[in-house]
Amino acid sequence: MDELGRLPSIGPKSAQRIAFHLLKVSKQDANRLAQAIIEVKERTVLCSVCFNIGVGQTCAICSDDRREGTIICVVEDPRDIIAVERTREFRGRYHVLGGALSPIEGVGPDQLRVRELLERLVPEGVVEVILCTNPNLEGEATAMYLARLLKPLGIHTTRIASGLPVGGDLEYADELTLGRALEGRREVDA
Ligand SMILES: [Zn+2]
């Protein structure tokens, strides 16, 4: 119960419920869960190109030749990739920043994978970068910061359209809304 209670959004009551559930399940089911936890820690690594979570040197998206290599969708977190993929509106590649600019929390450009993004532009022949950071204060500030870096380089720099709940988190947006926001993306004035 102590261990389960340390998981996100699991309060003491839920921890107790899960613990009692685990007592009841078959040994096989319990082992499968234990094995999955071990595997996620042993096998997964960050993709060396986009910093998505994967099992090899490059993630499934970066190693898929059918994806458009000249459009990069910039997100804060690997979870946002899952949200964008659910929309089925995007067939390019991604770049995971690893967070958003936040002076209060001491997160500056050096703490994010900004340099790694800039280094991808020329070798990959990138023509468009879609700024798909969260529609909150930090996400907007990050998008503006990146737009100011990218636009002078002649990169078509777009931001997902408004319509997403402001202050919200991309990963909780429903696929229809996020899909529309992607489709309606606009050039950023930086
Ligand atoms: Zn990747």
Side-chain angles (χ1 to χ4, degrees), residues 37-112:
I37 295 171
I38 291 168
E39 270 182 36
V40 85
K41 295 313 291 179
E42 282 181 350
R43 291 185 53 212
T44 56
V45 283
L46 290 185
C47 172
S48 61
V49 179
C50 75
F51 303 95
N52 183 17
I53 294 162
V55 287
Q57 179 86 17
T58 48
C59 72
I61 293 170
C62 287
S63 36
D64 185 349
D65 293 337
R66 290 164 302 179
R67 309 240 3 170
E68 180 63 61
T70 57
I71 305 179
I72 291 182
C73 179
V74 174
V75 294
E76 294 179 22
D77 192 276
R79 283 172 298 184
D80 300 328
I81 295 183
I82 298 170
V84 176
E85 285 295 288
R86 267 202 311 257
T87 69
R88 298 171 177 274
E89 287 286 339
F90 181 67
R91 296 295 301 158
R93 297 190 203 270
Y94 293 92
H95 188 84
V96 181
L97 291 171
L101 293 176
S102 172
I104 298 165
E105 287 172 50
V107 183
D110 293 344
Q111 277 73 48
L112 303 176

Side-chain angles (χ1 to χ4, degrees), residues 64-181:
D64 185 349
D65 293 337
R66 290 164 302 179
R67 309 240 3 170
E68 180 63 61
T70 57
I71 305 179
I72 291 182
C73 179
V74 174
V75 294
E76 294 179 22
D77 192 276
R79 283 172 298 184
D80 300 328
I81 295 183
I82 298 170
V84 176
E85 285 295 288
R86 267 202 311 257
T87 69
R88 298 171 177 274
E89 287 286 339
F90 181 67
R91 296 295 301 158
R93 297 190 203 270
Y94 293 92
H95 188 84
V96 181
L97 291 171
L101 293 176
S102 172
I104 298 165
E105 287 172 50
V107 183
D110 293 344
Q111 277 73 48
L112 303 176
R113 298 186 194 101
V114 174
R115 185 175 48 83
E116 290 87 341
L117 171 66
L118 297 177
E119 283 170 359
R120 291 180 64 184
L121 302 176
V122 174
E124 296 180 34
V126 175
V127 295
E128 182 182 354
V129 170
I130 306 172
L131 301 168
C132 208
T133 48
N134 284 329
N136 55 27
L137 219 61
E138 291 84 4
E140 294 297 344
T142 309
M144 280 315 287
Y145 172 80
L146 290 175
R148 282 190 200 112
L149 283 182
L150 295 166
K151 292 207 79 167
L153 303 175
I155 306 281
H156 199 40
T157 308
T158 55
R159 174 86 175 116
I160 45 170
S162 48
L164 290 170
V166 174
D169 226 344
L170 215 65
E171 61 169 314
Y172 301 123
D174 67 277
E175 53 254 51
L176 202 69
T177 311
L178 184 54
R180 279 202 202 110

Side-chain angles (χ1 to χ4, degrees), residues 2-11 18:
D2 288 344
E3 286 302 321
L4 291 167
R6 290 166 61 188
L7 297 172
S9 10
I10 305 288
I18 298 167

